[in-house]
Amino acid sequence: MTLLVQKFGGTSVGNVERIQEIAKRIASFKEQGNELVIVVSAMGDSTNQLTKLALEVNSCPPPRELDMLLSTGEQVTIALLSMALIKLDIPAQSMTGSQVGIITESAHGRARILEIKTEKIRELLKEGKVVVIAGFQGTSLGSGKTAEITTLGRGGSDTSAVALAAALNADACEIYTDVPGVLTTDPRKVKDAKLMRTISCDEMLELASLGAAVLHPRAVEIARNYGIKLVVRSSLDNSKGTTLTSLEKKYIGKEGLELSRPVNAIELIENQSVIALSNIPDQPGIAADLFETLSKGGINVDLIIQSTHQGQTNDITFTISEKDLPIAKLLCEQLINTLGGELTTQNNMSKLSIRGAGIMGRPGIAAKFFETLSRSGVNLRLIATSEVKVSCVINSELGTKGLRCASEAFNLKDKQIKINPTTNFLGEPEVRGVALDPNQVQVSVINVPDIPGSAATLCRSFADAGICVDTIVQSERKNNLDSKSISFTLNKNDRKAADNALKPLLKSWPNSYIQEGTGIARISAVGSGMATQIGTAGRMFRALANENINIRMIATSEIRTSCIISEKDGDNALKAVHKFFKLGSTE
Ligand code: ADP
Ligand code: ASP
Ligand code: MG
């Protein structure tokens, strides 16, 4: 018999009629002979309504009480859906997260799942029942204390569903929602967004954590780690939807369900060169000119980092393979001659990266990586992060030492350690999807001492305060001989906490201060083919330049390019990049 975990999101159970419709659909799946575990969200926007209520009573609601309140949303839906099923003569039983035994960390509002007890669910399935489980919630077992209700974070019902599928070893997990599947971008913002039949877990992970709300990124992480077949489909019709594919090997082991693998690989790429253009004009089109020129010269650029502009100028730094340096240098010199600014190049560099979906949302991981390197005396020339990868560029002589120390720190085995791996993304599209995240602010710390350990200390301060920084960009420009700036983007809600977290540190660094950027949005393009195709970043910058949109910060990883732009330009940028890469259904 096929065991399916099916999740129905808020809009799919938004009112009584929708619940009755969904019940009919579930009934037909049941009649086809499937065993069914159903996970549901709160009805419509009731989680928002409950949050609003809380804020009316207390502008800073205690996290424990907020979880107590928010978890009631899902409890309403499980009861109503079970009633609707029973009315259709389908035996069903509702269960809260605590009743099932969805054991989580104790962190209210963002708890990760540690374990799911499956005995009770299996018992009910054996009795022929459809088991209807409340998503988004779990229970933490404080040692000797009373069990507490926890929630996983907004959008977390997807994660409940995939985690249940992993724990039950289900045949598939299907996420039913109000769109036909995963589209090239948010159809609410770009009308001709096109459905993808398949997408890799790696690409989806980037898209989901960069703003594509259709899936909770942690759900994708679990699907990838456990090799779960994950499908996103419409709850309104029978179309096939999008299937997520995973190249990763399935690994089974139930301990620490969401916590088991923060880092699952480390890689060292040698023979890299760093090219830095500093004090170049801060105008739309400059980055596009630069990277188009390099692309015409046949040069594949790896990391691109553009830090906050100070005054009227910008610094753009990027890495290329050492063999391309002579020609790249020549092309950059020509550009500098017309634009102004300075050019510096450096050979003999290596890129050291840790990767793993578990890095996301766990600020302590980047901090630990940087701390390990600084303890080994490795200075970081450049830092670039994505949700699932932290990279730094370091001097080659220290490459193997850095690799060894970091591998030990994260307990990585030989097969997880890669030196100069070859990428095999040939034939994949350079851009598969585009996402916009409007909920970001940019903060720069100016006059950070340029000594091993500074980045680590900064990240540690954020981590200890539970703040996740999204993009970390360490600028090339030295403010004076021995200091530099480091810029971060963080979630808007964490802005105040970030100030507090950094206060003690700033006191200990002479002349250091926080510079706040104005409202920003982050636009990202994601595609596996980007790693091997020359010029993708340049094309994205051109799409933005054509709309006269200035780029404030750039951060790239192999399969994504993100640009921080002004908040007001967000929607325009999304449309422009989507169109430029011909992603729409009308293209
Ligand atoms: P649910 O309540 O079912 O969990 P969500 O609102 O959380 O639904 O997620 C579905 C929404 O995600 C869609 O209505 C759509 O506006 C938005 N979305 C953003 N990016 C994408 C994308 N790339 N593909 C599909 N939907 C997207
Ligand atoms: N009801 C929760 C929310 O709105 C969880 C979810 O829908 O996934 O965030
Ligand atoms: Mg959702």
Side-chain angles (χ1 to χ4, degrees):
M1 214 187 281
T2 307
L3 170 58
L4 296 176
V5 176
Q6 301 182 322
K7 178 250 168 182
F8 294 88
T11 36
S12 309
V13 290
N15 55 41
V16 168
E17 291 72 39
R18 292 293 305 137
I19 290 178
Q20 285 166 332
E21 280 306 309
I22 296 304
K24 277 190 212 150
R25 191 157 184 179
I26 294 171
S28 76
F29 284 124
K30 177 83 176 125
E31 276 149 17
Q32 286 161 24
N34 297 301
E35 282 189 312
L36 296 175
V37 171
I38 308 295
V39 176
V40 284
S41 292
M43 290 170 68
D45 71 342
S46 60
T47 311
N48 289 343
Q49 296 302 332
L50 290 169
T51 310
K52 194 162 154 256
L53 270 182
L55 292 172
E56 279 171 26
V57 174
N58 183 336
S59 63
C60 197
R64 177 189 184 276
E65 304 308 328
L66 192 60
D67 275 359
M68 190 66 94
L69 179 70
L70 296 190
S71 60
T72 61
E74 272 67 13
Q75 206 170 321
V76 171
T77 325
I78 50 171
L80 291 176
L81 182 59
S82 302
M83 290 176 197
L85 284 165
I86 292 164
K87 176 92 191 291
L88 297 175
D89 287 331
I90 301 292
Q93 182 166 324
S94 63
M95 291 187 90
T96 64
S98 323
Q99 285 178 319
V100 170
I102 299 182
I103 315 295
T104 72
E105 299 173 302
S106 56
H108 285 289
R110 56 186 165 94
R112 290 191 180 245
I113 299 174
L114 301 173
E115 191 196 346
I116 297 184
K117 310 254 187 239
T118 52
E119 299 78 17
K120 186 69 197 170
I121 302 175
R122 291 208 187 277
E123 211 175 278
L124 294 172
L125 287 173
K126 225 182 225 159
E127 289 168 20
K129 286 186 173 148
V130 172
V131 189
V132 183
I133 299 175
F136 175 59
Q137 56 176 262
T139 177
S140 74
L141 298 174
S143 52
K145 290 187 236 146
T146 3
E148 293 288 354
I149 293 178
T150 51
T151 65
L152 311 184
R154 295 304 304 269
S157 295
D158 299 334
T159 295
S160 310
V162 184
L164 275 159
L168 290 162
N169 210 3
D171 294 284
C173 179
E174 299 173 338
I175 307 285
Y176 288 86
T177 183
D178 60 349
V179 282
V182 181
L183 309 183
T184 47
T185 194
D186 189 343
R188 284 187 215 178
K189 295 216 155 78
V190 180
K191 291 282 164 283
D192 71 340
K194 194 167 140 192
L195 178 71
M196 303 181 215
R197 286 272 166 245
T198 61
I199 181 171
S200 73
C201 278
D202 280 344
E203 289 168 314
M204 191 62 228
L205 202 48
E206 294 272 7
L207 275 179
S209 49
L210 294 165
V214 64
L215 270 181
H216 200 230
R218 280 160 51 191
V220 186
E221 175 187 357
I222 302 171
R224 189 176 76 157
N225 283 349
Y226 288 82
I228 307 290
K229 181 176 174 202
L230 182 58
V231 184
V232 182
R233 304 177 63 179
S234 167
S235 62
L236 302 166
D237 59 41
N238 270 323
S239 55
K240 281 206 172 93
T242 306
T243 303
L244 273 80
T245 56
S246 177
L247 295 172
E248 294 269 315
K249 269 242 162 80
K250 178 169 175 163
Y251 91 96
I252 295 292
K254 285 206 189 130
E255 81 299 338
L257 216 152
E258 271 199 89
L259 285 187
S260 49
R261 271 205 190 184
V263 173
N264 59 23
I266 183 163
E267 67 185 28
L268 179 70
I269 302 191
E270 298 174 304
N271 303 322
Q272 298 287 296
S273 292
V274 174
I275 301 190
L277 283 76
S278 35
N279 289 309
I280 53 173
D282 178 28
Q283 289 162 11
I286 302 285
D289 286 347
L290 169 63
F291 292 103
E292 275 174 359
T293 307
L294 290 166
S295 151
K296 280 186 199 134
I299 293 167
N300 198 11
V301 176
D302 183 13
L303 294 180
I304 304 174
I305 291 166
Q306 176 186 286
S307 53
T308 350
H309 48 87
Q310 295 151 343
Q312 293 302 305
T313 61
N314 247 331
D315 303 337
I316 300 183
T317 309
F318 55 93
T319 62
I320 53 170
S321 164
E322 215 162 62
K323 67 175 177 16
D324 291 334
L325 184 63
I327 169 125
K329 199 171 165 186
L330 200 76
L331 294 169
C332 290
E333 268 161 6
Q334 286 166 359
L335 207 72
I336 288 272
N337 284 341
T338 50
L339 288 179
E342 295 105 47
L343 175 72
T344 50
T345 62
Q346 204 173 353
N347 253 338
N348 235 346
M349 305 301 287
S350 293
K351 183 175 80 168
L352 183 64
S353 317
I354 49 167
R355 54 181 305 147
I359 292 173
M360 180 177 56
R362 254 170 285 170
I365 305 291
K368 181 172 167 185
F369 182 44
F370 299 149
E371 277 162 0
T372 307
L373 293 176
S374 100
R375 265 200 307 274
S376 335
V378 180
N379 204 8
L380 313 179
R381 172 79 197 274
L382 296 172
I383 295 172
T385 59
S386 84
E387 310 297 317
V388 290
K389 189 166 178 178
V390 182
S391 301
C392 45
V393 177
I394 58 179
N395 277 326
S396 280
E397 298 84 72
L398 294 169
T400 0
K401 186 174 179 197
L403 180 76
R404 196 185 58 240
C405 297
S407 310
E408 277 165 18
F410 291 106
N411 289 328
L412 296 174
K413 302 196 179 70
D414 283 352
K415 67 174 194 324
Q416 295 169 302
I417 302 172
K418 294 172 188 143
I419 300 179
N420 301 321
T422 45
T423 27
N424 55 352
F425 293 131
L426 286 174
E428 296 288 327
E430 60 172 341
V431 174
R432 204 189 283 273
V434 190
L436 181 75
D437 186 348
N439 296 316
Q440 300 270 304
V441 283
Q442 181 193 334
V443 174
S444 302
V445 185
I446 314 289
N447 288 335
V448 176
D450 188 19
I451 48 171
S454 298
T457 322
L458 263 175
C459 289
R460 171 56 58 202
S461 303
F462 282 130
D464 289 347
I467 300 170
C468 292
V469 288
D470 284 310
T471 313
I472 309 173
V473 170
Q474 176 169 266
S475 115
E476 265 305 283
R477 187 182 305 193
K478 300 255 167 76
N479 301 310
N480 52 48
L481 273 185
D482 46 15
S483 76
K484 58 190 167 194
S485 353
I486 300 188
S487 302
F488 302 90
T489 61
L490 16 119
N491 193 289
K492 267 180 189 161
N493 299 334
D494 288 334
R495 180 64 189 86
K496 255 199 209 139
D499 264 348
N500 289 335
L502 294 185
K503 236 182 227 156
L505 204 56
L506 296 186
K507 272 198 190 136
S508 68
W509 287 341
N511 304 323
S512 63
Y513 60 96
I514 295 184
Q515 194 177 63
E516 162 126 30
T518 43
I520 56 163
R522 176 176 52 180
I523 163 109
S524 308
V526 174
S528 296
M530 202 179 285
T532 43
Q533 216 135 319
I534 292 175
T536 310
R539 285 189 276 284
M540 172 152 175
F541 304 152
R542 176 58 63 204
L544 296 173
N546 286 349
E547 297 296 308
N548 214 22
I549 296 172
N550 205 14
I551 303 170
R552 303 220 199 143
M553 233 161 109
I554 300 169
T556 62
S557 74
E558 284 136 321
I559 66 163
R560 65 123 192 179
T561 302
S562 295
C563 299
I564 305 292
I565 53 173
S566 172
E567 198 171 12
K568 66 172 179 22
D569 291 329
D571 286 355
N572 246 349
L574 190 69
K575 289 192 186 97
V577 175
H578 192 261
K579 194 164 180 2
F580 199 91
F581 286 103
K582 299 191 168 47
L583 297 178
S585 51
T586 51
E587 297 291 345

